[in-house]
Amino acid sequence: MIEKIKALLEEVSNFTTESMDEVEAFRIRMLSKKGEIPSLFKDFKSVDPSERKEVGRQLNILKQKATERLSSLKTRLEEEALAKKLEGRKPDTTMPAGFNPIGGRHPLSVVRNRINSIFERIGFVISEGPEIEDDWHNFSALNFPEEHPARDMQDTFFVSKDPDIALRTHTSSVQVRVMETQKPPIRTISPGRVFRNEAISARAHCIFHQVEGLYIDQGVSFADMKQCLLYFAREMFGKDTRIRLRPSFFPFTEPSAEMDVSCNICGGPGCPICKYSGWIEVMGCGMVDPNVLENCGIDSKKYSGYAFGMGIERIAMNIYQIKDLRMFFENDLRFLRQFKSAI
Ligand code: PHE
């Protein structure tokens, strides 16, 4: 039996062909039910027990080699046949291209990019800073009195007490850093994520995004600020947009104002979006308080400036008529896909 196995092994390793039919014939002769190898397995019963171990081993090797040989020949022949079929064929450039679904930008990024580019066009430079801030940059340098309610745990997420380290509550902190390190004229906007300890609702979230602006030079006036913000409002909401400034208060600006834009939906007479007032509140602004300039090492006798700050979510809600702010943070694809074409 050993002899027979050896002979077949040799045959298997020498076997080669260019024809698929011969491969099949060889398979039938060797491995089919009544083929050489299964017959040997059948005869195995009659092998002398002392030889069984060795014969069994050789038999298994034979079966494995035959299977491998057949499958490698088959693969080679199939590949050659395919290559032959494709030979001389040119790619068909008229075939429709494969469809690759593309992603889209998040609506908050779309609106932030638009705000940035509107200000960049008139010379503002983007500056960024840390989201975890110390008390000085977020509050003290900005003229917040020691007992100001914003410093309360209720409004601010503190990371540590003494030293006071907190998640920044506005990106005005970045502007302090800019004033400390640069000399006027300064023209900068700081987009970024901010954090406030607020209950989450359709109109408020504990994380949101701002763009704040700062302009400092000699002889900067409230009228300059008004003109700059009118330009912004018209670029952002449409060329017929009007603005109005209402007196307000911020510790870091004096005088301070709240800016409204005429409702871009109804144009003024009133609708559900502007709650029938004709106006939509978009940002806080004002002339930088001289104390803030001095805190940052800028001579307040020589220089003056204005600052403004807006929430990106609020503007995006207005532009796209989104009723619930939470949608920006839920990553629901049905919502996000609607902004696919926005850039
Ligand atoms: N920092 C203010 C806020 O977060 C916005 C603001 C910026 C107001 C600059 C006036 C001037 O609400």
Side-chain angles (χ1 to χ4, degrees):
M1 190 145 175
I2 281 275
E3 293 309 310
K4 174 97 202 218
I5 296 173
K6 285 227 165 98
L8 286 175
L9 251 177
E10 191 152 335
E11 202 183 330
V12 165
S13 48
N14 289 335
F15 176 68
T16 184
T17 173
E18 295 305 316
S19 131
M20 208 53 140
D21 289 345
E22 279 178 28
V23 172
E24 181 59 7
F26 193 73
R27 188 192 67 80
I28 291 171
R29 189 160 80 74
M30 288 293 172
L31 288 165
S32 69
K33 238 182 180 168
K34 289 195 175 128
E36 301 272 12
I37 297 172
S39 315
L40 284 177
F41 271 98
K42 242 178 250 154
D43 297 344
F44 186 66
K45 284 197 277 306
S46 53
V47 171
D48 190 282
S50 66
E51 292 178 12
R52 274 211 181 149
K53 201 171 160 206
E54 182 55 17
V55 173
R57 206 174 66 86
Q58 294 291 341
L59 206 49
N60 280 326
I61 293 177
L62 172 64
K63 188 176 174 191
Q64 196 194 346
K65 286 252 149 85
T67 317
E68 278 172 14
R69 185 88 198 125
L70 278 162
S71 92
S72 76
L73 272 172
K74 218 167 144 185
T75 319
R76 204 197 75 209
L77 290 176
E78 275 168 1
E79 277 172 3
E80 281 174 7
L82 185 68
K84 217 171 186 173
K85 211 167 125 193
L86 296 178
E87 210 175 56
R89 267 225 238 156
K90 292 215 177 76
D92 180 358
T93 51
T94 64
M95 241 165 56
F99 176 68
N100 288 325
I102 52 162
R105 271 191 220 293
H106 193 280
L108 292 179
S109 301
V110 173
V111 172
R112 183 202 56 222
N113 290 349
R114 267 189 68 194
I115 299 172
N116 286 351
S117 89
I118 290 170
F119 285 106
E120 278 177 317
R121 264 179 271 155
I122 53 169
F124 281 78
V125 176
I126 293 177
S127 49
E128 286 180 303
E131 292 181 348
I132 300 175
E133 263 300 3
D134 51 30
D135 177 87
W136 172 255
H137 291 96
N138 198 76
F139 295 125
S140 296
L142 289 162
N143 209 28
F144 277 80
E146 207 55 63
E147 70 292 354
H148 194 282
R151 295 183 178 220
D152 200 317
M153 291 285 264
Q154 246 85 58
D155 290 307
T156 304
F157 288 115
F158 283 95
V159 175
S160 78
K161 273 268 176 210
D162 204 19
D164 274 344
I165 306 286
L167 300 183
R168 67 181 177 198
T169 59
H170 50 186
T171 57
S172 303
S173 55
V174 180
Q175 308 187 334
V176 173
R177 290 178 179 275
V178 171
M179 287 189 277
E180 281 173 340
T181 52
Q182 295 175 24
K183 289 203 165 17
I186 290 171
R187 231 186 265 128
T188 185
I189 49 167
S190 359
R193 197 153 58 144
V194 300
F195 309 83
R196 287 184 202 173
N197 198 353
E198 301 212 28
I200 297 170
S201 73
R203 310 249 352 133
H205 207 288
C206 55
I207 301 174
F208 59 100
H209 299 79
Q210 284 190 325
V211 177
E212 297 218 358
L214 175 74
Y215 180 30
I216 298 173
D217 203 350
Q218 290 184 33
V220 176
S221 71
F222 198 87
D224 294 331
M225 178 181 86
K226 220 173 137 182
Q227 198 57 35
C228 171
L229 296 182
L230 177 64
Y231 154 80
F232 165 74
R234 292 192 165 159
E235 290 292 311
M236 196 72 206
F237 300 102
K239 63 178 177 17
D240 297 324
T241 307
R242 287 164 292 129
I243 61 168
R244 108 183 152 177
L245 295 171
R246 285 178 289 111
S248 184
F249 175 80
F250 298 101
F252 36 89
T253 47
E254 183 59 36
S256 304
E258 206 70 58
M259 185 180 97
D260 300 339
V261 296
S262 54
C263 177
N264 51 329
I265 304 304
C266 64
C271 70
I273 300 298
C274 60
K275 302 208 191 71
Y276 300 97
S277 72
W279 296 95
I280 288 161
E281 197 181 306
V282 287
M283 69 169 94
C285 57
M287 300 305 289
V288 182
D289 192 300
N291 285 343
V292 174
L293 296 176
E294 295 293 338
N295 284 343
C296 301
I298 292 174
D299 183 352
S300 64
K301 302 235 162 31
K302 193 166 168 201
Y303 294 105
S304 58
Y306 60 77
F308 54 86
M310 65 194 107
I312 302 179
E313 280 80 357
R314 180 178 285 206
I315 294 183
M317 283 171 88
N318 180 251
I319 288 178
Y320 297 120
Q321 312 238 332
I322 296 162
K323 301 243 161 20
D324 193 325
L325 187 139
R326 287 169 289 198
M327 295 184 111
F328 291 123
F329 304 101
E330 280 165 356
N331 285 333
D332 184 334
L333 287 175
R334 290 168 303 179
F335 171 70
L336 295 176
R337 282 201 182 109
Q338 297 175 53
F339 303 93
K340 241 180 176 171
S341 56
I343 43 164

